[in-house]
Amino acid sequence: MRVVLKIKRFNPERDREPYWAEYEVDVEPVDRVLDALEYVKWHLDGTLAFRRSCAHGICGSDAMLINGRNRLACKVLVKELGARITVEPLRGFPVIKDLVVDMEGFFAKYRAIKPYLINDEPPPETERRQSPEERARFDDTTKCILCAACTTSCPSFWANGEYIGPAAIVNAHRFIFDSRDRGAAERLAVLNARLGVWRCRTIFNCVEACPRGIDVTRAIAEVKRALLFSSL
Ligand code: SF4
Ligand code: F3S
Ligand code: FES
């Protein structure tokens, strides 16, 4: 099938404004949007910039706005989208070039919630044991691939880019509810700040956007509840 790929392009070294460029591409219906983008780059215009690595929905590097929704380009089949496909960079991040956005602020928020196990207690003889039930408590939030689709679909984030955002909260949840971890109070203090978890207005765009099917709003609600009932 033939599709028209309409891509929002911007090269800050050359362009004053972003502009739309259209490319006609012959694809198989089961090709992904990533395949179509690669066709454009390899055969039509080598200056097109986008990120990708794994091409299999694992690394989180190719989240972009596809027909108005945040998706991973490597997970969306062109046959799901019709003959005209629009592709734009994620909203709310500075554009470096074309579909490549600056994610430094996003990862700074991720680092702020201390995304690693904190436990200074002397290690046991063998491993730090955990029951299946304790492991299940945070299983959903272990699936995050840090693609930023949730944060950049959130109207609270669009309104104030300093909001810590759902991705950081999801990753805080992963450790706060881990029975081996002792850093919950440190993370909850970060999330209790003015631009922390309380900026979430339960709008649910983040759940719709998450390519890993994480119940993001549930994780956020559990963090809010932990704050309400913690002794901070
Ligand atoms: Fe991406 Fe989902 Fe993680 Fe958000 S929670 S960064 S949408 S994988
Ligand atoms: Fe935003 Fe999701 Fe909350 S869209 S407002 S983080 S429920
Ligand atoms: Fe890795 Fe799409 S390229 S998730």
Side-chain angles (χ1 to χ4, degrees):
M1 64 188 277
R2 174 159 290 198
V3 296
V4 175
L5 213 54
K6 190 176 164 195
I7 305 174
K8 191 178 261 187
R9 304 216 40 191
F10 180 57
N11 178 352
E13 291 179 0
R14 194 195 59 202
D15 307 321
R16 294 175 61 142
E17 299 284 336
Y19 65 96
W20 290 100
E22 294 195 359
Y23 306 91
E24 287 194 7
V25 185
D26 286 321
V27 290
E28 297 294 329
V30 291
D31 279 345
R32 295 95 34 97
V33 172
L34 179 62
D35 298 310
L37 287 171
E38 287 181 336
Y39 185 90
V40 172
K41 183 164 182 72
W42 294 340
H43 300 286
L44 303 178
D45 185 344
T47 68
L48 177 65
F50 56 91
R51 281 196 186 104
R52 62 84 105 183
S53 181
C54 71
H56 290 285
I58 297 300
C59 72
S61 60
D62 63 343
M64 52 189 77
L65 209 55
I66 298 173
N67 282 5
R69 287 178 55 196
N70 278 2
R71 316 282 297 268
L72 296 178
C74 65
K75 281 193 75 176
V76 189
L77 303 184
V78 291
K79 70 177 181 183
E80 295 171 21
L81 300 169
R84 282 186 75 80
I85 301 170
T86 62
V87 186
E88 303 166 63
L90 291 174
R91 288 193 187 127
F93 291 160
V95 175
I96 295 175
K97 189 178 177 211
D98 297 331
L99 304 171
V100 177
V101 290
D102 182 353
M103 296 182 72
E104 185 43 44
F106 175 81
F107 284 111
K109 290 169 188 164
Y110 171 65
R111 289 191 293 271
I113 56 85
K114 306 178 194 244
Y116 41 81
L117 198 76
I118 298 173
N119 189 333
D120 291 336
E121 294 166 6
E125 287 275 307
T126 56
E127 71 271 30
R128 294 184 198 274
R129 299 192 69 136
Q130 191 165 54
S131 71
E133 293 73 27
E134 288 169 333
R135 175 62 178 74
R137 182 70 188 82
F138 60 94
D139 184 65
D140 197 32
T141 47
T142 63
K143 297 175 190 151
C144 178
I145 55 173
L146 292 169
C147 67
C150 54
T151 296
T152 56
S153 69
C154 171
S156 288
F157 174 73
W158 298 338
N160 187 336
E162 296 302 311
Y163 166 40
I164 197 158
I169 302 168
V170 159
N171 284 279
H173 179 285
R174 181 256 170 270
F175 289 98
I176 289 169
F177 294 98
D178 186 329
S179 59
R180 300 163 299 183
D181 186 84
R182 300 289 176 266
E186 295 172 43
R187 298 192 187 91
L188 289 172
V190 174
L191 295 170
N192 202 26
R194 193 173 61 86
L195 295 162
V197 72
W198 304 110
R199 296 288 300 198
C200 168
R201 304 288 193 258
T202 322
I203 297 170
F204 282 96
N205 284 13
C206 50
V207 179
E208 160 79 12
C210 180
R212 302 289 291 167
I214 297 170
D215 195 341
V216 181
T217 44
R218 180 180 168 160
I220 294 172
E222 289 181 356
V223 169
K224 285 180 177 172
R225 217 173 301 131
L227 267 170
L228 288 173
F229 296 107
S230 79
S231 52
L232 277 177

